[in-house]
Amino acid sequence: MYIETKKRSLLKGISWRFIATTTTIIIVYFFFGRLDLAIAAGFLETLAKILLYFFHERAWQKIKFGKQRIEPFNLWFTGLPLSGKSTLADAVYTELNKLDIPLERIDSKDIRDVIPNVGFKRDDRHQHLTRVGHLIKTLQNNSVSAIASFISPYTETRQAIADMTNNYIEVYVKADIETCIARDKTGIYLKAQAGELQNFTGVSDVFEQPVHPDIIIDSNKQSIAEATQIIVTFIKKHYMP
Amino acid sequence: MYIETKKRSLLKGISWRFIATTTTIIIVYFFFGRLDLAIAAGFLETLAKILLYFFHERAWQKIKFGKQRIEPFNLWFTGLPLSGKSTLADAVYTELNKLDIPLERIDSKDIRDVIPNVGFKRDDRHQHLTRVGHLIKTLQNNSVSAIASFISPYTETRQAIADMTNNYIEVYVKADIETCIARDKTGIYLKAQAGELQNFTGVSDVFEQPVHPDIIIDSNKQSIAEATQIIVTFIKKHYMP
């Protein structure tokens, strides 16, 4: 975030007044051919406009029209491991960033890198995501919206996040488990199926399907571009002035 | 955060142009007594100034002078339980809020209310504060500064927070343990001394004194008002344009 120093505003004001007054003097001279009166009119104009501009600004301070509060949202992507949540959330982030609103991208992997030693049991997951909810809430207090992608397999946890944050928008990224396995380059599904990874969502842990998601993306049928379009349109319609 | 809609900016522009041009017409009429020419000069002025204002704005876009990036800071209060950290941090928050910069107040108690079941052993504390560090870092990514108050008894943890965040400012709130005990209305020190509370800093757990704090406040000698003044002056000097 950048701010303008007082010196910059002052210099900019002076440079504009110089241009504006010179223009008036030239126009008046062009019409009437009297340079002395043109200059006098220019000076009178300068004085008058500095005062008038001040009162114009003060009057607009009192007018509420067209002042809109940005309502920070929490765009939450849920779905099986490798369903395509992160890729889609990244694409949506890139698009929404163009709108020039304060925005933070929060991904499960990044958070687990920063805060390690969190397990995958029901309680661990729930508490971990409650912390993420608190992070998002704090960002929202400061007008920042979030784009979050987490497996978040339990209805209870998603409900808790929805309650903690403002304008919770649930995006369910749907994918067959076969599709997810087919995308699995690192072999984590195989490891889970062999019992080497415990509490693995979709294999050894439940994924409770979202009951009333705001948006459903079928990652077997919809391309990233199509899905991005749907989500960005939804956000623009509901949360942009 | 509020934004101006396009409609508001447009209306404001029109209302200013109306006032400005009317002023020019009146001035020119006053000098020369010819209303027809005055109106013609007014219209020419309007056209000229709309164009000139545009180029003036574009030219200033290219001028770097006076554009200053806000550098979000992390004002970190450390000290014994009941040393007065939170009270002082609250007072500093109230003062700094007047500067109209994005600011978040983060207190140990609030965080532990939101994220319960965190212990007080060395590892628990360290991991808990690392999460707080991550929260502050994410806020700083969005230009938000933090005012944080945590006992944060270990040098190692404070160093980790300093490394994670930008512009870490350590405020050591110094108080004799006797003073802290005298302030103890809820009897937590007594409970700790009786062995009912484990890992209690200052009684059954160490407080490693800050080695090179940026600011030391002696809460036995300095009033809240004096201490607030010192800290606010420091912030204004180092972090405000």
Side-chain angles (χ1 to χ4, degrees):
Chain A
M1 189 173 143
Y2 287 87
I3 54 156
E4 274 200 21
T5 60
K6 292 194 187 80
K7 265 189 199 162
R8 183 181 166 96
S9 302
L10 184 66
L11 264 188
K12 205 176 154 185
I14 290 172
S15 74
W16 170 246
R17 199 21 62 201
F18 178 78
I19 292 173
T21 296
T22 308
T23 309
T24 299
I25 293 173
I26 291 169
I27 290 174
V28 171
Y29 179 69
F30 169 78
F31 272 89
F32 299 97
R34 285 271 310 265
L35 193 60
D36 54 344
L37 289 183
I39 290 172
F43 276 104
L44 190 57
E45 191 222 13
T46 299
L47 271 177
K49 290 208 179 151
I50 284 171
L51 275 174
L52 285 169
Y53 195 83
F54 172 78
F55 288 115
H56 186 254
E57 283 293 315
R58 297 312 299 170
W60 273 94
Q61 288 280 336
K62 289 186 184 122
I63 297 170
K64 290 250 183 333
F65 175 84
K67 269 190 159 172
Q68 221 147 358
R69 218 184 125 73
I70 290 183
E71 289 298 339
F73 54 80
N74 172 15
L75 188 62
W76 187 272
F77 291 77
T78 176
L80 285 171
L82 299 178
S83 56
K85 296 179 302 298
S86 297
T87 314
L88 180 55
D90 284 344
V92 169
Y93 176 69
T94 305
E95 277 308 302
L96 289 181
N97 236 346
K98 293 178 188 162
L99 300 180
D100 210 20
I101 52 167
L103 203 57
E104 181 75 24
R105 173 80 181 89
I106 302 170
D107 190 68
S108 173
K109 201 188 156 299
D110 302 334
I111 298 282
R112 283 194 180 258
D113 283 351
V114 178
I115 304 163
N117 311 319
V118 176
F120 289 90
K121 289 188 186 159
R122 192 171 184 107
D123 278 359
D124 293 332
R125 284 183 197 264
H126 185 77
Q127 200 177 349
H128 181 64
L129 288 177
T130 307
R131 278 182 208 121
V132 173
H134 174 256
L135 169 65
I136 293 173
K137 186 185 160 187
T138 312
L139 288 168
Q140 290 188 326
N141 285 348
N142 292 282
S143 303
V144 181
S145 293
I147 299 185
S149 47
F150 290 85
I151 300 170
S152 46
Y154 314 128
T155 306
E156 178 200 1
T157 306
R158 290 189 303 256
Q159 190 54 51
I161 302 277
D163 292 343
M164 285 177 85
T165 59
N166 294 318
N167 302 314
Y168 173 79
I169 308 155
E170 194 168 275
V171 182
Y172 174 26
V173 184
K174 227 173 167 170
D176 295 337
I177 192 125
E178 293 76 25
T179 313
C180 298
I181 294 173
R183 284 181 192 152
D184 182 7
K185 286 175 195 150
T186 57
I188 49 166
Y189 268 97
L190 290 175
K191 273 191 193 166
Q193 285 170 329
E196 288 171 42
L197 290 173
Q198 304 294 311
N199 305 109
F200 192 89
T201 304
V203 178
S204 44
D205 198 8
V206 67
F207 182 82
E208 299 167 8
Q209 298 226 0
V211 189
H212 297 298
D214 298 279
I215 301 169
I216 301 176
I217 299 299
D218 187 336
S219 84
N220 295 317
K221 291 180 190 154
Q222 285 161 306
S223 71
I224 296 284
E226 281 164 351
T228 304
Q229 189 59 42
I230 291 167
I231 298 163
V232 169
T233 306
F234 183 94
I235 294 283
K236 279 186 181 170
K237 188 179 161 197
H238 292 89
Y239 296 96
M240 292 298 114
Chain B
M1 190 173 142
Y2 287 88
I3 55 156
E4 273 200 23
T5 59
K6 291 194 188 80
K7 266 188 197 163
R8 183 182 166 94
S9 302
L10 184 66
L11 265 187
K12 204 175 155 186
I14 291 172
S15 75
W16 171 245
R17 199 22 61 202
F18 178 78
I19 292 172
T21 297
T22 309
T23 310
T24 299
I25 292 174
I26 291 169
I27 289 173
V28 171
Y29 179 70
F30 170 78
F31 272 91
F32 299 97
R34 283 273 308 265
L35 192 61
D36 54 344
L37 288 182
I39 290 172
F43 276 104
L44 190 58
E45 191 221 14
T46 299
L47 271 178
K49 289 207 179 152
I50 285 172
L51 275 174
L52 285 169
Y53 194 83
F54 172 80
F55 289 115
H56 186 254
E57 282 293 314
R58 297 312 299 170
W60 272 94
Q61 287 280 334
K62 290 187 184 121
I63 298 169
K64 290 251 185 329
F65 175 83
K67 269 188 159 173
Q68 222 149 358
R69 218 184 126 73
I70 290 185
E71 290 296 340
F73 53 81
N74 172 16
L75 188 63
W76 187 272
F77 291 77
T78 176
L80 284 171
L82 299 177
S83 57
K85 296 179 301 296
S86 298
T87 313
L88 180 54
D90 284 343
V92 170
Y93 176 69
T94 304
E95 277 309 301
L96 289 181
N97 236 346
K98 293 179 189 161
L99 299 180
D100 209 20
I101 52 167
L103 203 57
E104 181 75 25
R105 173 80 179 89
I106 303 171
D107 189 69
S108 173
K109 201 188 156 299
D110 303 333
I111 298 281
R112 283 196 179 255
D113 283 350
V114 179
I115 304 163
N117 309 320
V118 176
F120 290 89
K121 290 186 183 159
R122 192 172 185 106
D123 278 0
D124 294 331
R125 284 183 197 265
H126 185 77
Q127 200 176 347
H128 181 64
L129 289 177
T130 307
R131 281 184 206 117
V132 173
H134 174 256
L135 169 66
I136 293 173
K137 187 185 159 187
T138 313
L139 287 168
Q140 290 187 325
N141 286 347
N142 292 283
S143 302
V144 181
S145 293
I147 299 184
S149 47
F150 291 84
I151 301 171
S152 45
Y154 314 127
T155 306
E156 178 199 2
T157 306
R158 290 189 303 257
Q159 189 55 50
I161 301 277
D163 293 343
M164 286 178 83
T165 59
N166 294 319
N167 301 314
Y168 173 80
I169 309 155
E170 195 168 274
V171 182
Y172 174 27
V173 184
K174 227 172 168 171
D176 295 336
I177 193 123
E178 293 74 26
T179 312
C180 298
I181 293 172
R183 284 180 192 153
D184 183 7
K185 286 173 196 155
T186 57
I188 48 167
Y189 269 97
L190 289 176
K191 274 191 193 167
Q193 284 169 329
E196 288 170 42
L197 289 172
Q198 304 295 310
N199 306 109
F200 192 90
T201 305
V203 178
S204 44
D205 198 10
V206 68
F207 181 82
E208 299 168 8
Q209 297 226 1
V211 191
H212 297 299
D214 298 280
I215 301 169
I216 301 176
I217 300 298
D218 187 335
S219 82
N220 294 318
K221 291 179 191 157
Q222 285 161 306
S223 72
I224 296 284
E226 282 166 351
T228 303
Q229 189 58 43
I230 291 168
I231 297 164
V232 169
T233 306
F234 183 94
I235 294 283
K236 280 186 180 168
K237 189 179 161 197
H238 291 89
Y239 296 96
M240 292 298 113

